[in-house]
Amino acid sequence: MSSKNLLVIMLTEKHITIRETTIKEDLLIAKHFYQMWLDIGVDESNILLEWQNITLQFIEEAHRDLFYKAFVAEVDNTVVGSVSCQLFAGLYPNVFKDKYCKFGYIWGV
């Protein structure tokens, strides 16, 4: 049996809890984001040494300006995953009134 299949079996036998994080867990979210890049094959040499400060600053600004929220999944009170979401700041000037159009963005899954 592969480790992936074993993980699926283990998770189906356990209760998974999803909860919103607190600001105290921003470092955990930053570490998950970093690990995500490593998991998909990005070599550490291609990631800035300041990755942690850059990510924490981004999260702080997103909390303040973009209605940022993060959530973790827990099994037996152990965090097994996370996700972040916020208002999308855009790739172009937003010319619409707030009541007309807001885009969300999900990242760091």
Coordinates of all heavy atoms in Angstrom, one line a residue, residues 1 5 9 19-20 30 44 49-50 52 54 56 58 63 69 72 74-75 82 90 92 94 97 99 102 108:
M1 N 0.8 -1.2 0.0 CA 0.0 0.0 0.0 C 0.9 1.2 0.0 O 1.8 1.3 0.8 CB -0.9 0.0 1.2 CG -1.8 1.2 1.4 SD -2.8 1.2 2.8 CE -3.7 -0.3 2.6
N5 N -2.1 6.3 -0.1 CA -3.3 5.5 0.2 C -3.5 5.3 1.7 O -4.6 5.4 2.2 CB -3.3 4.1 -0.5 CG -3.5 4.2 -2.0 OD1 -4.0 5.2 -2.5 ND2 -3.1 3.2 -2.7
I9 N -6.6 6.6 4.1 CA -7.3 5.7 5.1 C -7.2 6.3 6.5 O -8.2 6.3 7.2 CB -6.7 4.3 5.1 CG1 -7.0 3.6 3.7 CG2 -7.2 3.4 6.2 CD1 -6.3 2.3 3.5
R19 N -10.6 25.2 11.2 CA -10.8 26.4 12.0 C -10.0 27.6 11.5 O -9.0 27.4 10.8 CB -10.5 26.2 13.5 CG -9.0 25.9 13.7 CD -8.6 25.9 15.2 NE -7.2 25.6 15.4 CZ -6.2 26.5 15.2 NH1 -6.5 27.7 14.9 NH2 -5.0 26.1 15.4
E20 N -10.5 28.8 11.8 CA -9.8 30.0 11.4 C -8.6 30.2 12.3 O -8.7 29.9 13.5 CB -10.7 31.2 11.6 CG -10.2 32.5 11.1 CD -11.1 33.7 11.1 OE1 -12.4 33.4 11.1 OE2 -10.7 34.8 11.1
A30 N 3.1 31.1 7.2 CA 4.3 31.4 6.3 C 5.2 30.1 6.1 O 5.6 29.9 5.0 CB 5.2 32.5 7.0
E44 N 15.5 25.2 -2.9 CA 15.7 26.2 -1.9 C 16.6 27.4 -2.4 O 16.4 28.5 -2.0 CB 16.4 25.6 -0.6 CG 15.4 25.0 0.4 CD 16.1 24.6 1.6 OE1 17.0 23.7 1.5 OE2 15.8 25.1 2.7
L49 N 16.4 34.3 0.8 CA 16.7 34.0 2.2 C 15.7 34.8 3.2 O 15.4 34.3 4.3 CB 18.1 34.5 2.6 CG 19.2 33.6 1.9 CD1 20.6 34.2 2.3 CD2 19.1 32.2 2.3
E50 N 15.1 35.9 2.7 CA 14.2 36.7 3.5 C 12.8 36.2 3.4 O 11.8 37.0 3.7 CB 14.3 38.2 3.1 CG 15.7 38.8 3.2 CD 16.5 38.5 1.9 OE1 15.9 38.2 0.9 OE2 17.7 38.6 2.0
Q52 N 10.7 34.4 4.9 CA 9.9 34.4 6.1 C 9.4 35.9 6.4 O 8.2 36.1 6.6 CB 10.6 33.9 7.3 CG 9.7 33.8 8.6 CD 10.4 33.0 9.7 OE1 10.8 31.9 9.5 NE2 10.6 33.7 10.8
I54 N 9.3 38.4 4.3 CA 8.5 38.8 3.2 C 7.1 38.3 3.3 O 6.1 39.1 3.1 CB 9.2 38.4 1.8 CG1 10.5 39.1 1.6 CG2 8.2 38.6 0.7 CD1 11.3 38.6 0.4
L56 N 5.6 37.2 6.1 CA 4.9 37.8 7.2 C 4.4 39.2 7.0 O 3.4 39.6 7.4 CB 5.8 37.7 8.5 CG 6.0 36.2 9.0 CD1 7.0 36.2 10.1 CD2 4.6 35.7 9.5
F58 N 3.7 40.4 4.0 CA 2.5 40.3 3.1 C 1.3 40.0 3.9 O 0.2 40.6 3.7 CB 2.8 39.2 2.1 CG 1.7 39.1 1.1 CD1 1.8 39.8 -0.1 CD2 0.7 38.2 1.3 CE1 0.7 39.6 -1.1 CE2 -0.4 38.1 0.4 CZ -0.3 38.8 -0.8
H63 N -3.9 41.4 6.2 CA -4.8 41.5 7.4 C -5.4 42.9 7.4 O -6.6 43.1 7.6 CB -4.1 41.2 8.7 CG -4.0 39.8 9.1 ND1 -5.1 39.1 9.5 CD2 -2.9 39.0 9.3 CE1 -4.7 37.9 9.8 NE2 -3.4 37.8 9.8
K69 N -7.9 36.2 5.7 CA -8.2 35.1 6.6 C -7.4 33.9 6.3 O -7.1 33.6 5.1 CB -9.7 34.7 6.5 CG -10.7 35.8 6.8 CD -10.7 36.1 8.3 CE -11.8 37.2 8.6 NZ -11.7 37.6 10.0
V72 N -6.9 26.4 9.2 CA -6.1 25.2 9.2 C -7.0 24.0 9.4 O -8.1 24.1 9.9 CB -5.1 25.2 10.4 CG1 -4.0 26.3 10.2 CG2 -5.8 25.5 11.8
E74 N -7.1 20.3 11.2 CA -6.5 19.6 12.3 C -7.0 18.2 12.4 O -8.2 18.0 12.2 CB -6.7 20.3 13.6 CG -6.1 21.7 13.7 CD -6.4 22.3 15.1 OE1 -7.6 22.2 15.6 OE2 -5.5 23.0 15.6
V75 N -6.1 17.3 12.7 CA -6.5 15.9 13.0 C -5.9 15.6 14.4 O -4.7 15.8 14.6 CB -6.0 14.9 12.0 CG1 -6.3 13.5 12.4 CG2 -6.6 15.2 10.6
S82 N -3.2 24.0 5.6 CA -3.7 25.4 5.8 C -4.0 25.9 4.4 O -3.7 25.4 3.4 CB -2.6 26.2 6.5 OG -1.5 26.3 5.7
G90 N -5.4 42.7 -7.4 CA -5.5 42.9 -8.8 C -4.2 43.1 -9.5 O -3.2 43.4 -9.0
Y92 N -4.5 44.9 -12.4 CA -4.8 46.1 -13.1 C -5.6 47.0 -12.2 O -6.1 46.6 -11.2 CB -5.6 45.8 -14.4 CG -6.8 44.9 -14.1 CD1 -8.0 45.5 -13.7 CD2 -6.8 43.5 -14.1 CE1 -9.1 44.7 -13.3 CE2 -7.9 42.8 -13.8 CZ -9.1 43.4 -13.4 OH -10.1 42.6 -13.1
N94 N -8.4 48.8 -10.4 CA -9.8 48.4 -10.2 C -10.7 49.7 -10.3 O -10.6 50.6 -9.5 CB -10.0 47.8 -8.8 CG -11.4 47.4 -8.6 OD1 -12.3 47.5 -9.4 ND2 -11.7 46.9 -7.4
K97 N -16.8 50.4 -8.3 CA -17.2 50.8 -7.0 C -17.2 49.5 -6.1 O -17.5 48.4 -6.7 CB -18.6 51.4 -6.9 CG -18.7 52.8 -7.6 CD -20.1 53.3 -7.6 CE -20.1 54.7 -8.3 NZ -21.5 55.2 -8.3
K99 N -19.3 48.2 -4.0 CA -20.5 47.5 -4.0 C -20.8 46.7 -5.3 O -21.5 45.8 -5.3 CB -21.7 48.5 -3.8 CG -21.7 49.1 -2.4 CD -22.9 50.0 -2.2 CE -22.9 50.6 -0.8 NZ -24.0 51.5 -0.6
K102 N -16.1 42.8 -6.2 CA -14.9 42.4 -5.4 C -14.5 41.0 -5.8 O -15.3 40.1 -5.9 CB -15.2 42.4 -3.9 CG -15.4 43.8 -3.3 CD -15.5 43.8 -1.8 CE -15.6 45.3 -1.4 NZ -15.5 45.4 0.0
G108 N -1.8 29.5 -1.1 CA -1.1 28.7 0.0 C -1.8 27.5 0.4 O -1.8 27.1 1.6

